[in-house]
Amino acid sequence: IFRQTRVGRNNIPFEIFKLRTMKPDTVNVASHEVTQSQITRVGAWLRRLKFDELPQLYNVLNGTMSFVGPRPCLPSQHELIAERMSRGVTSLLPGITGFGQLAGLDMSTPRKLAIADAYYVGSWSLKRDLAILFQTATGGGRGDAALRYQGIPAESEQVPVEGSATKTAVHPHHGKTVVITGATGFLGQAVIPKLLLEGWTVVAFVRNPHDGLASDIQQICFGDLGSADPNELAIAMSSADCLIHLAAVVPGKIASPQSGTAKIADVICKAATAAGIPRIIVLSSVYATLAEQRDPDARVYGHEKLAADRILVQAMSDVTQIVTLRPPVIYGSGMSGALSKLVKLIRAGSPLPFGLAKNQRHYISRENVANLIATIARAPDSTWREASGRYYTPTDGLALSTAELVRMIAQANGKTARLIPVPLSFLRFAGRVTGSSEMLAGAINPLPHNDNAALFKAFGWVPSEQMPESLPS
């Protein structure tokens, strides 16, 4: 039996077990770096029949590996680790066999292997895993041809783009105009630099003139968009090729599902229709999906977002195409809301009652959302035709319990997580008594929604960063 340290889930090292197939004096490097002469005669036979992997059944039993997943690499393979982290691959248990292995890829091409791994993570299904196991057992998978057959372009066909796994070309949008609402907000200020970098002419709808925006951005002041004249907005939009609608009422300040954000959506919808805007990207929330599913965690905010989504999508015409994003909590420097308060408590060293919170919730960084919006904006007409009218929930690709999140935030800030194991039933009771049920629900209830597979398929997008590296310190 051969033992070796490998990189596991969330980059945690573990000990892997295999049948020895190489000479005892072989250096501890990846297989592709070892000469053929180092493989024994019996070892060659074991590797050909994949029998050398059988001891890894013990790794599956002890929870460090899965039957199918990205193949675990060595701690010294820094380039592959970085490529996988940038694509959200490290959130999954490594596997005895995997999609990349089946495609004939080894770790000598780290970027290509990480792209294949990201495709697998984003499009996971039990049916796919069973197919991978069957094809592995029968010797399936032959190099780049297999990779292209599975729907991933060969490496030579790709140009790396920040925040995008695959893209055949990047064309600056000189001469094209994008209108953006909520331009001075938390997300808007991250999206605009990416649009300018790609050559878009940016028109920003703002409440008041803002000194923080670049000088080459045209600012148009309309005050409260919910009270603006749609005809005046339409004139300002008349030359635009795309509208990015980020403006909304701050959560917690909504009176009813028919006010605030929905009112703004109605005005924007009328203006965009009158102006003949061909493309609209809408920022909604995963809570709109919860409201659609009649989930009690939806809150008034979710019903407000759902009402706004329906106003915009139902008014869609043959001329206008709409893609709606419903992300979970967006975090990053300058964020506000419950997550911001949690960070402040952790930095202050406050004890937190989430030691038993094992829920799995998704999050997404501001950088990942901004990259996705820029990727969608530049997508070709054929992609827009396929995606129009659909809702997508993008995430970092890593689901965390609140206890894990607290530990990560504490580590990023050089603090010690102070978690108290309070029963969840008691927390829910305390939430009802204090009127903070909604806030606590966001900390102790699961939120499994994740459409990264669909976004990869439609736009070639995968997350460019992931916790803990993406956490603000």
Side-chain angles (χ1 to χ4, degrees):
I1 298 294
F2 172 66
R3 299 183 177 199
Q4 191 179 51
T5 299
R6 296 289 182 97
V7 177
R9 184 180 185 182
N10 297 329
N11 290 335
I12 298 173
F14 74 102
E15 194 171 48
I16 196 174
F17 298 89
K18 300 181 71 174
L19 292 178
R20 181 176 288 279
T21 60
M22 300 183 188
K23 297 175 182 178
D25 61 347
T26 304
V27 293
N28 188 23
V29 295
S31 296
H32 66 271
E33 298 178 27
V34 178
T35 61
Q36 191 72 21
S37 61
Q38 290 298 110
I39 300 175
T40 65
R41 289 184 179 181
V42 174
W45 178 79
L46 291 172
R47 294 171 74 91
R48 186 163 53 250
L49 297 179
K50 303 180 179 66
F51 285 172
D52 61 317
E53 313 285 4
L54 286 176
Q56 289 167 42
L57 291 172
Y58 175 75
N59 289 111
V60 174
L61 291 174
N62 69 19
T64 54
M65 290 185 68
S66 175
F67 284 105
V68 182
R71 287 293 293 156
C73 64
L74 294 168
S76 60
Q77 293 177 286
H78 303 297
E79 186 178 356
L80 177 57
I81 293 170
E83 290 284 353
R84 282 175 164 173
M85 286 179 63
S86 71
R87 293 173 170 82
V89 172
T90 57
S91 62
L92 207 66
L93 281 174
I96 294 177
T97 184
F99 178 71
Q101 184 183 34
L102 184 67
L105 296 172
D106 61 33
M107 295 178 186
S108 63
T109 55
R111 187 171 72 87
K112 195 171 184 180
L113 179 59
I115 289 171
D117 290 336
Y119 181 84
Y120 166 76
V121 173
S123 59
W124 181 89
S125 69
L126 179 59
K127 181 179 179 181
R128 180 182 290 272
D129 272 8
L130 293 174
I132 290 174
L133 284 171
F134 176 76
Q135 291 177 54
T136 299
T138 56
R142 289 292 183 271
D144 287 353
L147 185 61
R148 285 191 292 271
Y149 177 76
Q150 294 291 348
I152 303 175
E155 187 172 26
S156 61
E157 300 170 357
Q158 302 172 27
V159 176
V161 178
E162 183 183 11
S164 178
T166 57
K167 192 173 183 357
T168 53
V170 180
H171 301 289
H173 289 79
H174 293 295
K176 291 195 173 184
T177 300
V178 59
V179 171
I180 181 167
T181 70
T184 60
F186 170 64
L187 182 57
Q189 293 189 60
V191 173
I192 286 177
K194 298 183 183 301
L195 298 174
L196 292 175
L197 191 63
E198 295 190 3
W200 290 91
T201 297
V202 178
V203 177
F205 284 4
V206 296
R207 184 181 291 271
N208 299 299
H210 196 279
D211 295 336
L213 295 179
S215 59
D216 52 349
I217 293 175
Q218 182 183 357
Q219 298 187 42
I220 302 180
C221 301
F222 281 105
D224 178 17
L225 282 176
S227 304
D229 184 343
N231 293 321
E232 292 182 8
L233 291 177
I235 293 172
M237 293 181 184
S238 59
S239 62
D241 300 280
C242 182
L243 167 66
I244 299 175
H245 180 43
L246 308 179
V249 174
V250 177
K253 297 184 178 180
I254 299 170
S256 73
Q258 286 73 43
S259 64
T261 302
K263 189 176 180 182
I264 293 173
D266 184 56
V267 172
I268 290 294
C269 182
K270 291 175 181 176
T273 300
I277 296 286
R279 295 179 173 184
I280 302 176
I281 301 172
V282 178
L283 182 73
S284 182
S285 167
V286 69
Y287 288 102
T289 300
L290 297 183
E292 207 165 36
Q293 297 172 350
R294 301 188 178 182
D295 191 305
D297 285 348
R299 315 174 190 179
V300 174
Y301 175 65
H303 290 281
E304 170 86 357
K305 282 291 193 180
L306 178 60
D309 290 353
R310 286 174 171 170
I311 288 170
L312 288 161
V313 172
Q314 288 174 2
M316 186 174 58
S317 65
D318 294 335
V319 176
T320 303
Q321 296 171 329
I322 298 178
V323 172
T324 304
L325 302 178
R326 289 177 169 177
V329 172
I330 303 173
Y331 66 92
S333 298
M335 64 183 172
S336 60
L339 189 55
S340 176
K341 294 176 182 177
L342 181 65
V343 172
K344 290 178 181 177
L345 289 171
I346 294 169
R347 286 173 178 170
S350 303
L352 297 166
F354 303 126
L356 298 178
K358 306 300 183 183
N359 56 313
Q360 295 292 302
R361 296 181 68 86
H362 280 284
Y363 301 87
I364 188 166
S365 73
R366 179 172 70 161
E367 181 72 8
N368 281 335
V369 180
N371 282 334
L372 174 57
I373 290 174
T375 299
I376 295 173
R378 77 167 82 96
D381 291 338
S382 58
T383 299
W384 269 85
R385 283 193 295 271
E386 289 292 323
S388 184
R390 298 186 180 182
Y391 305 103
Y392 298 96
T393 297
T395 76
D396 283 348
L398 175 64
L400 295 169
S401 70
T402 300
E404 290 172 323
L405 177 64
V406 169
R407 293 189 188 99
M408 280 192 178
I409 294 173
Q411 182 181 6
N413 288 272
K415 300 290 183 179
T416 300
R418 302 182 63 189
L419 288 163
I420 302 173
V422 177
L424 301 188
S425 57
F426 181 82
L427 287 178
R428 292 190 176 95
F429 173 76
R432 288 193 296 270
V433 171
T434 61
S436 56
S437 293
E438 286 190 355
M439 183 181 69
L440 282 172
I444 63 179
N445 290 350
L447 189 64
H449 298 272
N450 175 15
D451 291 330
N452 285 11
L455 286 164
F456 181 95
K457 183 178 180 181
F459 299 101
W461 176 87
V462 293
S464 61
E465 62 179 16
Q466 192 179 63
M467 295 182 188
E469 290 75 14
S470 57
L471 285 169
S473 57

